[in-house]
Amino acid sequence: MIYLDNSATTQPHPQVADVVKRAMEEYYGNPSSLHQKGLEAEHVLKQARSVAAQALRVKPAEIFFTSGGTESNNTALKGVAFQYQSRGKHIVTTQVEHPSVYDVCKQLEGFGFSVTYLPVDSEGRVSVADVQAAIRPDTILVSVMHVNNELGTVQPIQEIGSLLRQHPKILFHVDAVQSFGKIPLLPHEWGIDLVSISAHKFHGPRGVGILYKRDGLKLQPLLMGGGQEAGLRSGTENLPAIAGMAKAIRLLEETGHDESERLAGLIRRLRAGIADIPGCVINSPADGAAPHILNISVPGAKAEVLLHALEERGFLVSTKSACSSKANEPSRVLMATGMDRNRALSALRISVGRYNKAEEIDRFLVALRESVDRIRPYMNV
Ligand SMILES: Cc1ncc(COP(=O)(O)O)c(C=O)c1O
């Protein structure tokens, strides 16, 4: 099977798996314990924190370990909302956020917050002018993702950060789950207060992630208890996963920009091939997209049917066309771009990672052409 669903999750690097195993076997002490085993574990934790801090060019004390992107996003949004509600109850976000931001905003509406969900253009991009226009005297938070998980669209984070410098009381959160390690993100330089990261998107273990929180910023914790992670995230630290994530970050740094360039090359190859397949259209932006995601449609086809036709030929991709509860509902994100329903219902996401090779892309293109030909007689066009 050729795995082309790296935006959903990635295969852990073998060296990451080794580090996790070794940490489980050797560093089983509780980092809060005062004896030797505890101190060893604490040392591993400290090293991992400094690896993460270096990668983001921030201070180790600004790195908080969480259980992944969902928890980091929940902590950022609810943490700000509940801490600063006396200052105001308005939040600005976009219509294309991941559910771990979007649905949290919906939940916060139930707690009396008011949320502006900004529209996006046909490529899924939010405009800085719209962010500016949405700001009110009671705005406490702006949350915009860096790279969209369905389309790969890169949002103008640096520009939004500059705009928000003129509003020092408004906090800026960025969901960087799909961008970390792929394209640069500099929280200090770009005026970002909170960043969410998840290890399983970059060949690390799942169930572990990072929340960057600017020094001095206070948040209401989601989890109360033993006071770990400077009181922001209680619970005995998942040391093996944290050590594995630090290893995955180190491996990212070894390959660095070259690997992003290589992934972008694979996506360019895919684009060029798809342009030659009758009936296939590309939904991801040509410019300003992440290097690892390509969203396509075969209007008239059912995405699930296409996905299984590709799977029969040995290729694993993903469909975001239907949310699990409503079988025939197209993706909220794609509909926000103004795409017609038929096209959105036939969308497939192909996403590459460090184990994919150019030759696999060529074979995928053959399989895609065959699959589209096979289902064409049944298509609703
Ligand atoms: C943009 C984005 N944010 C958040 C998440 C959630 O991350 P996790 O799976 O670590 O909870 C994902 C995962 O798909 C994502 O793509």
Side-chain angles (χ1 to χ4, degrees), residues 177-195:
V177 167
Q178 291 290 344
S179 70
F180 180 74
K182 307 282 189 326
I183 56 172
L185 176 77
L186 296 167
H188 279 182
E189 284 83 338
W190 296 5
I192 305 171
D193 300 291
L194 295 149
V195 176

Side-chain angles (χ1 to χ4, degrees), residues 30-40 42:
N30 186 324
S32 302
S33 294
L34 297 180
H35 51 65
Q36 181 201 333
K37 276 284 164 206
L39 295 180
E40 278 173 19
E42 195 194 7

Side-chain angles (χ1 to χ4, degrees), residues 73 93-101 120 124 126 142-151 153-157 160 172-179 185 332-333:
N73 284 340
T93 188
T94 79
Q95 292 176 2
V96 296
E97 297 302 306
H98 187 268
S100 56
V101 167
V120 292
V126 73
V142 172
S143 178
V144 179
M145 71 199 320
H146 195 190
V147 164
N148 184 269
N149 50 302
E150 293 190 40
L151 285 163
T153 310
V154 181
Q155 300 294 357
I157 296 302
I160 298 171
F172 185 24
H173 167 246
V174 176
D175 173 352
V177 167
Q178 291 290 344
S179 70
L185 176 77
R332 156 174 59 79
V333 170

Side-chain angles (χ1 to χ4, degrees), residues 210-232:
I210 293 168
L211 178 66
Y212 155 79
K213 178 180 75 65
R214 179 177 52 74
D215 226 6
L217 174 65
K218 216 168 168 288
L219 293 188
Q220 275 299 319
L222 285 188
L223 303 177
M224 301 301 288
Q228 290 88 346
E229 298 299 290
L232 182 61

Side-chain angles (χ1 to χ4, degrees), residues 39-173:
L39 295 180
E40 278 173 19
E42 195 194 7
H43 182 66
V44 173
L45 199 59
K46 192 172 164 198
Q47 274 188 325
R49 208 181 298 284
S50 83
V51 167
Q54 268 169 31
L56 285 170
R57 312 277 181 269
V58 301
K59 296 183 221 158
E62 295 176 312
I63 298 292
F64 297 83
F65 296 123
T66 68
S67 67
T70 299
E71 186 187 326
S72 295
N73 284 340
N74 271 264
T75 306
L77 271 80
K78 290 175 192 168
V80 168
F82 294 130
Q83 183 68 34
Y84 297 99
Q85 55 187 324
S86 59
R87 204 190 266 176
K89 285 191 140 190
H90 179 235
I91 294 168
V92 177
T93 188
T94 79
Q95 292 176 2
V96 296
E97 297 302 306
H98 187 268
S100 56
V101 167
Y102 190 85
D103 290 351
V104 172
C105 286
K106 293 279 170 199
Q107 191 184 22
L108 286 169
E109 286 185 88
F111 284 101
F113 289 85
S114 102
V115 182
T116 301
Y117 300 89
L118 295 173
V120 292
D121 66 13
S122 60
E123 296 190 326
R125 198 168 290 110
V126 73
S127 99
V128 183
D130 282 351
V131 177
Q132 182 161 23
I135 292 172
R136 312 191 316 209
D138 61 340
T139 306
I140 52 171
L141 175 70
V142 172
S143 178
V144 179
M145 71 199 320
H146 195 190
V147 164
N148 184 269
N149 50 302
E150 293 190 40
L151 285 163
T153 310
V154 181
Q155 300 294 357
I157 296 302
Q158 201 173 350
E159 292 83 345
I160 298 171
S162 309
L163 162 73
L164 292 177
R165 279 190 199 283
Q166 298 153 34
H167 302 270
K169 290 216 157 153
I170 301 178
L171 299 170
F172 185 24
H173 167 246

Side-chain angles (χ1 to χ4, degrees), residues 265-280:
L266 296 180
I267 292 292
R268 275 196 298 276
R269 200 177 183 96
L270 199 52
R271 260 182 187 280
I274 284 170
D276 286 342
I277 302 179
C280 276

